[in-house]
Every structure is written in structure tokens, then in C-alpha cells.
Amino acid sequence: MEAVFYLQHKILLMKKAKFSADFKNLDAIRDLVGEVAEQAGFSCKDIYSVQLATDEACSNIIEHAYKGSPKGKLDISCDAAGGELTVIIHDHGKEFDMSSVRKPNLSKQLSEREEGGLGVYLMHQLMDEVHFSSSKRFGNTLTMIKRKSRDS
């Protein structure tokens, strides 16, 4: 679903879609957020950052929250207004405590690093804001915000 709203002379772009929790849907998810970011005038670098952060988030949900079961669903919402792009990903997979993920030790050799945590680290590095809530009743909601860089 696509909508364009005019609010006080600002354009709001919004797209929403549902996907099965399957790795084969990652291309379509990247396309969705990339299209909104491009229409909103974000730079190629910012578009890539948003796509990569979204890809990492969805991959983690598919792999960990749904344990690879394509029966799970991902609700994706991507909005752009006022120089900000907001990506919201909602799922009903396994609960998750993002604060329990330790920052990876990037000074160690790749072969010596502990497995996991790099995706969450990348989301925080690529996006300006990352918020997460999780509950058995309401599911998991990840909100990521990217502001236009000066070169956009």
C-alpha cells in the first residue's frame, strides 16, 4: 500500500507490506525501503545504509525469532517526512531483549570473535536511532530512523 499525504507543505511518503519470514523475501524488503528513501530524496549512501540495516534486522528475525519457519510474518512500514525516514518492523516471533546483545569486539581477528551481535551493532551504526520493544502479548517492534545527511 502506498500513500502520499501533504502536511503543512511537507510530503509524507508511506509504504506498508507484509512478508512471510523467508530469506527469499529480503530483496523485496530492501526494494521497499530503498524506493521510499529514494523518493524522499535520500543520498545513495543513506539508501544503502537503510537497506543494509533493514536487511540485518529482518535476517535476525527470520533466523532467531522464527527459527527459519516461513510461517512467521513480518509487517514492514516505511515512512518519510521532514528529512527523516522511519522503518518499523513488527513480528510475533520469539521475544528478544536487545539490551542483552553485547557490542562485538572488533579489535579481535575475525576467527577469534564471538558469534552474534554484529547485526545489532550494524543497525546502530547505520541508523540515527534504533528503538526496540518486545512482549509475548504484542510481539516485537523495531523502529529505526535515518535522517538525511548533508549530501542528500
Side-chain angles (χ1 to χ4, degrees):
M1 171 179 10
E2 182 173 354
V4 177
F5 298 98
Y6 295 91
L7 301 171
Q8 298 176 357
H9 307 290
K10 292 183 182 179
I11 297 176
L12 169 68
L13 300 165
M14 178 176 32
K15 280 198 171 200
K16 293 182 178 189
K18 292 182 185 286
F19 297 92
S20 62
D22 193 319
F23 288 106
K24 70 181 180 184
N25 290 323
L26 292 176
D27 285 340
I29 293 168
R30 282 189 301 272
D31 289 346
L32 181 133
V33 298
E35 183 179 322
V36 173
E38 183 177 2
Q39 288 176 354
F42 280 76
S43 69
C44 291
K45 180 183 174 188
D46 286 345
I47 293 168
Y48 178 75
S49 293
V50 169
Q51 288 178 311
L52 183 55
T54 303
D55 188 82
E56 286 293 334
C58 292
S59 294
N60 282 346
I61 293 166
I62 294 165
E63 184 176 345
H64 302 292
Y66 288 124
K67 302 287 186 195
S69 171
K71 292 181 181 178
K73 299 292 178 207
L74 298 170
D75 295 324
I76 313 282
S77 169
C78 188
D79 306 334
E84 285 189 352
L85 183 87
T86 302
V87 178
I88 300 172
I89 305 168
H90 184 78
D91 71 82
H92 287 280
K94 182 181 170 190
E95 280 184 273
F96 178 64
D97 178 8
M98 189 177 279
S99 66
S100 69
V101 178
R102 292 184 295 192
K103 186 176 176 181
N105 184 347
L106 301 177
S107 64
K108 287 186 177 181
Q109 292 292 325
L110 191 58
S111 61
E112 297 172 1
R113 291 184 197 162
E114 291 182 34
E115 192 173 315
L118 194 56
V120 171
Y121 172 78
L122 281 173
M123 284 181 249
H124 283 279
Q125 294 301 305
L126 295 167
M127 303 298 282
D128 294 305
E129 293 181 39
V130 177
H131 307 281
F132 185 76
S133 65
S134 181
S135 76
K136 284 186 182 184
R137 183 174 179 193
F138 298 110
N140 304 308
T141 302
L142 174 66
T143 303
M144 301 185 294
I145 298 171
K146 183 72 173 172
R147 292 180 194 87
K148 276 188 182 179
S149 61
R150 291 197 172 127
D151 60 345
S152 291

